[in-house]
């Protein structure tokens, strides 16, 4: 294709799904898909072969769960609004409140759901504050000192999210803090949701440690159903974003290859995290100048829409493909049309080698966002 495209590789997606299904069986826990990381609904028929539930954080995500995935969502929102709440309830099997005040305001309207409360263990090993939900002053969750000794009768679960692309060792350490602070209430619950950020499909993830940790937890609390809701783990390393060199400019000896994609529009985590993407056939380097060393620049008007720097085997040329690896999770769900820049197309590479174009975008998509 001459235009940029995200390509989901079905073989790699199924590999992740099969591994997650295996881990779910070994841990006797439910793993559900978090739409905040991946919501490409045309792939849901594949997902339904391996998992049965999803997690939502808004009305639109909850409707997507019910209408396109085919099951009601496990829903959490930092703050439900009066006008949307009843419809969210109708699309949800589980509904978690972020605060006791939200619970008091809305719980009587959520009788058809299994109601939960988000807790804050005041411990997280997430190093980037932007992604740390337990940082001081956080708006997420209730600390143990604010809970009544006897929970309201309709609270059936706790939800805790304090990981980001984390390993099993991090979960094991975090779990000890969760239990230390909140185990006095576990006897009053039916389920506990340990949230997302568990990167079980990463090559070096210690699955045996996760299995033994969860199995030991089951032994201590056999009545509690355990839930995990990773997002990245499902779509981890399942496909690239293919772009092209549009121009090459130079200033003060620094060469920039301007692409037909944008970091701020199409790969926002690269600027927010910051996260250095892997570029096929190139080496990420510290120096800004040198033979075949280039910055990669986006095609928006934002001055900071670039990343530094990669060394290629030979000089780049206009029209050459630049392939960003592992660009399926937290990309299509976060893209925007700043500057009127179109989304890359969406495609899936099937197991038979055929590339199916799922969606292409044009002017009408930008115009309708402004309607």
């Amino acid at each position: 294709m001459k235009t940029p495209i995200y390509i989901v590789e079905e073989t790699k997606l199924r590999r992740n799904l099969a591994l997650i299904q295996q881990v779910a069986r070994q841990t006797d826990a439910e793993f559900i898909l978090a739409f905040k990381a991946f919501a490409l609904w045309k792939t849901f028929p594949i997902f339904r072969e391996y998992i049965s539930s999803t997690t939502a954080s808004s009305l639109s995500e909850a409707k997507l769960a019910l209408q396109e995935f085919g099951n009601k969502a496990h829903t959490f929102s930092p703050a439900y609004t009066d006008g949307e709440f009843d419809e969210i309830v109708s699309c949800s099997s589980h509904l978690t409140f972020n605060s006791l005040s939200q619970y008091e305001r809305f719980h009587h309207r959520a009788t058809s759901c299994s109601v939960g409360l988000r807790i804050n263990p005041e411990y997280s090993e997430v190093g980037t504050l932007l992604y740390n939900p337990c940082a001081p002053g956080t708006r997420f969750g209730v600390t143990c000192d604010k809970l009544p000794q006897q929970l309201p009768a309709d609270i059936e679960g706790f939800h805790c999210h304090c990981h980001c692309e984390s390993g099993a060792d991090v979960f094991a350490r975090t779990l000890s803090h969760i239990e230390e602070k909140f185990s006095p209430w576990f006897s009053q619950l039916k389920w506990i949701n340990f949230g997302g950020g568990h990167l079980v499909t990463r090559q070096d993830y210690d699955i045996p440690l996760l299995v033994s940790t969860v199995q030991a937890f089951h032994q201590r609390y056999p009545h509690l159903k355990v839930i995990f809701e990773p997002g990245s783990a499902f779509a981890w390393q399942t496909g690239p974003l293919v772009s092209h060199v549009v121009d090459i400019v130079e200033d003060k000896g620094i060469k920039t290859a301007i692409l037909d994609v944008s970091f701020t529009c199409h790969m926002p985590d690269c600027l927010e995290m910051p996260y250095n993407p892997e570029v096929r056939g190139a080496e990420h380097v510290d120096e800004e100048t040198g033979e075949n060393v280039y910055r990669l620049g986006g095609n928006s008007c934002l001055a900071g829409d670039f990343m530094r720097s990669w060394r290629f085997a030979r000089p780049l040329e206009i029209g050459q493909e630049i392939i960003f690896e592992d660009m399926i999770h937290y990309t299509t769900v976060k893209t925007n049309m700043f500057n009127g820049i179109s989304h890359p197309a969406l495609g899936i590479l099937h197991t038979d080698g055929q590339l199916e174009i799922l969606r292409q975008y044009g002017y009408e998509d930008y115009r309708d966002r402004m309607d």
Side-chain angles (χ1 to χ4, degrees):
M1 292 186 64
K2 300 300 182 183
T3 57
I5 180 173
Y6 297 101
I7 301 175
V8 179
E9 299 181 43
E10 183 180 347
T11 299
K12 295 179 179 179
L13 179 62
R14 287 186 179 275
R15 174 202 63 199
N16 285 355
L17 285 163
L19 178 59
I20 289 171
Q21 184 184 61
Q22 174 188 333
V23 172
R25 290 170 177 168
Q26 291 176 326
T27 57
D28 190 24
E30 184 175 18
F31 281 72
I32 63 181
L33 170 66
F35 286 158
K36 65 181 180 180
F38 183 85
L40 189 56
W41 58 269
K42 289 183 179 179
T43 66
F44 287 174
I46 298 173
F47 276 80
R48 285 197 295 267
E49 296 179 31
Y50 301 88
I51 65 171
S52 59
S53 298
T54 60
T55 180
S57 297
S58 64
L59 174 58
S60 291
E61 287 187 345
K63 291 173 71 172
L64 191 71
L66 182 60
Q67 296 178 12
E68 302 299 340
F69 198 89
N71 282 322
K72 292 185 175 183
H74 294 236
T75 303
F76 162 80
S77 175
Y80 298 105
T81 59
D82 186 75
E84 294 183 344
F85 187 77
D86 292 337
E87 191 172 5
I88 287 176
V89 168
S90 71
C91 298
S92 304
S93 61
H94 296 64
L95 191 139
T96 296
F97 291 101
N98 184 56
S99 67
L100 289 170
S101 57
Q102 279 263 299
Y103 166 81
E104 291 293 342
R105 181 180 177 187
F106 288 116
H107 78 99
H108 62 283
R109 291 162 58 181
T111 55
S112 62
C113 299
S114 180
V115 171
L117 193 65
R118 178 157 177 169
I119 57 173
N120 174 13
E122 302 173 87
Y123 177 87
S124 173
E125 296 186 23
V126 177
T128 304
L129 285 180
L130 182 67
Y131 294 94
N132 186 347
C134 297
T138 181
R139 70 188 193 282
F140 292 124
V142 180
T143 53
C144 62
D145 59 303
K146 294 183 173 65
L147 287 177
Q149 186 174 2
Q150 182 65 41
L151 294 173
D154 60 346
I155 292 182
E156 297 185 341
F158 279 167
H159 175 280
C160 181
H161 178 85
C162 43
H163 296 81
C164 179
E165 297 188 358
S166 301
D169 58 327
V170 177
F171 173 63
R173 291 190 292 270
T174 305
L175 181 58
S176 65
H177 289 267
I178 296 172
E179 289 190 63
E180 178 185 357
K181 290 180 179 292
F182 292 98
S183 60
W185 290 274
F186 285 179
S187 63
Q188 303 175 44
L189 304 176
K190 294 181 179 179
W191 53 266
I192 186 164
N193 184 331
F194 290 118
H198 307 272
L199 197 49
V200 297
T201 53
R202 188 176 60 201
Q203 188 173 7
D204 63 348
Y205 190 92
D206 192 343
I207 290 176
L209 176 58
L210 176 68
V211 172
S212 62
T213 300
V214 178
Q215 288 177 342
F217 184 83
H218 280 311
Q219 291 177 354
R220 294 191 294 275
Y221 313 101
H223 68 289
L224 282 180
K225 179 179 180 179
V226 174
I227 303 166
F228 293 93
E229 51 176 45
S232 294
F234 284 97
W236 182 257
Q237 295 184 339
T238 56
L241 171 59
V242 181
S243 67
H244 308 84
V245 177
V246 176
D247 195 11
I248 298 173
V249 299
E250 184 173 344
D251 182 63
K252 302 295 190 296
I254 298 172
K255 297 187 291 291
T256 300
I258 301 179
L259 310 177
D260 57 0
V261 296
S262 161
F263 289 100
T264 191
C265 293
H266 307 136
M267 299 171 277
D269 278 352
C270 293
L271 300 181
E272 292 176 1
M273 186 75 172
Y275 159 73
N276 287 318
E278 180 181 347
V279 177
R280 188 175 301 180
E283 175 191 6
H284 191 260
V285 295
D286 292 331
E287 59 264 31
E288 290 227 81
T289 60
E291 185 177 8
N292 303 331
V293 173
Y294 298 84
R295 287 182 179 180
L296 297 179
N299 59 344
S300 79
C301 291
L302 177 68
D305 189 5
F306 71 91
M307 293 198 73
R308 56 169 77 94
S309 296
W310 283 265
R311 178 182 289 112
F312 292 81
R314 55 186 58 88
L316 296 182
E317 299 178 355
I318 305 300
Q320 180 174 337
E321 284 187 346
I322 301 295
I323 300 176
F324 294 93
E325 306 284 13
D326 192 23
M327 278 294 164
I328 301 303
H329 56 94
Y330 283 106
T331 49
T332 54
V333 292
K334 296 180 77 170
T335 54
N336 62 76
M337 287 187 170
F338 170 63
N339 264 176
I341 296 172
S342 293
H343 289 293
L346 301 174
I348 181 168
L349 183 65
H350 291 294
T351 55
D352 62 3
Q354 295 297 310
L355 177 64
E356 178 187 358
I357 305 303
L358 301 176
R359 177 73 187 271
Q360 289 182 284
Y361 298 87
Y363 162 70
E364 290 77 12
D365 298 290
Y366 170 70
R367 181 199 63 194
D368 291 347
R369 289 169 67 97
M370 304 296 110
D371 192 352

